[in-house]
């Protein structure tokens, strides 16, 4: 739990962007959930041969995908912004910490090892944060919304 608290300290300064990304995630989920009943109406209109409803549903689906695309862009942009700023803070903090270490520390560790370790660990953390904000959280919310819609 302490690790999550430390991780949150890096993104805590970006509350407006976090809220914006959350709103975008909810909007993407909402538009995705609205597509299912609209598709049901398409099948119903086809069965009834009601072309007016069919055309309206087609326009509705196009409109929903357009709105969804805007919110997906916002979600990915804001999430990437937050992750990049957090990684910048982390790299700066690590660099400052490395500047305070003794020469004895540097005699025990090779510079290449330190750089490689820092770069790969930070890149792994960056990939993880990006995937959590862009993929995992929205998909979990979508799954929850679909379960609620089904039941």
């Amino acid at each position: 739990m302490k690790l999550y608290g430390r991780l949150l300290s890096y993104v805590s300064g970006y509350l407006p962007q976090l809220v914006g990304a959350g709103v975008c995630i909810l909007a993407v989920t909402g538009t995705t959930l609205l597509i299912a009943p609209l598709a049901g109406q398409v099948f119903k209109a086809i069965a009834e041969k009601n072309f007016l409803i069919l055309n309206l549903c087609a326009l509705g689906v196009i409109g929903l995908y357009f709105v969804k695309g805007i919110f997906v862009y916002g979600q990915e942009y804001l999430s990437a912004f937050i992750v990049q700023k957090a990684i910048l803070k982390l790299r700066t903090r690590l660099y400052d910490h490395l500047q305070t270490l003794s020469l004895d520390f540097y005699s025990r560790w090779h510079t290449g090892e330190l750089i490689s370790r820092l770069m790969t660990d930070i890149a792994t953390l960056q990939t993880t944060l990006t995937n959590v904000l862009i993929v995992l959280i929205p998909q979990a919310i979508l799954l929850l919304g679909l379960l609620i819609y089904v039941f």
Side-chain angles (χ1 to χ4, degrees):
M1 220 45 189
K2 184 179 177 184
L3 177 65
Y4 295 118
R6 285 178 53 195
L7 194 56
L8 284 175
S9 71
Y10 289 106
V11 296
S12 64
Y14 307 103
L15 189 61
Q17 289 85 0
L18 277 170
V19 169
V23 167
C24 287
I25 288 170
L26 291 175
V28 168
T29 302
T31 55
T32 303
L33 290 174
L34 286 175
I35 291 171
L38 204 53
Q41 290 297 322
V42 167
F43 292 122
K44 188 176 177 182
I46 290 172
E48 295 174 357
K49 295 185 173 135
N50 189 342
F51 295 110
L52 176 65
I53 299 294
L54 184 62
N55 287 335
L56 290 175
C57 288
L59 288 174
V61 168
I62 291 169
L64 278 175
Y65 272 103
F66 179 75
V67 170
K68 181 181 174 182
I70 291 171
F71 284 113
V72 165
Y73 175 78
Q75 168 206 336
E76 290 183 5
Y77 177 82
L78 290 172
S79 298
F81 176 84
I82 293 165
V83 169
Q84 291 297 323
K85 290 296 185 177
I87 293 300
L88 177 65
K89 268 188 185 179
L90 179 63
R91 283 188 173 150
T92 304
R93 193 179 228 175
L94 284 172
Y95 178 77
D96 291 342
H97 179 69
L98 286 174
Q99 295 299 313
T100 63
L101 295 174
S102 67
L103 291 175
D104 184 46
F105 173 81
Y106 288 105
S107 68
R108 286 183 278 129
W109 285 85
H110 296 291
T111 307
E113 277 183 272
L114 285 173
I115 291 173
S116 174
R117 178 117 187 216
L118 290 175
M119 296 304 288
T120 56
D121 288 354
I122 289 175
T124 302
L125 180 63
Q126 181 177 1
T127 303
T128 303
L129 283 175
T130 302
N131 286 336
V132 164
L133 286 175
I134 293 178
V135 178
L136 185 65
I137 292 173
Q139 293 300 320
I141 292 172
L142 179 61
L143 176 65
L144 182 65
L146 285 172
L147 288 173
I148 290 170
Y149 175 72
V150 167
F151 290 114

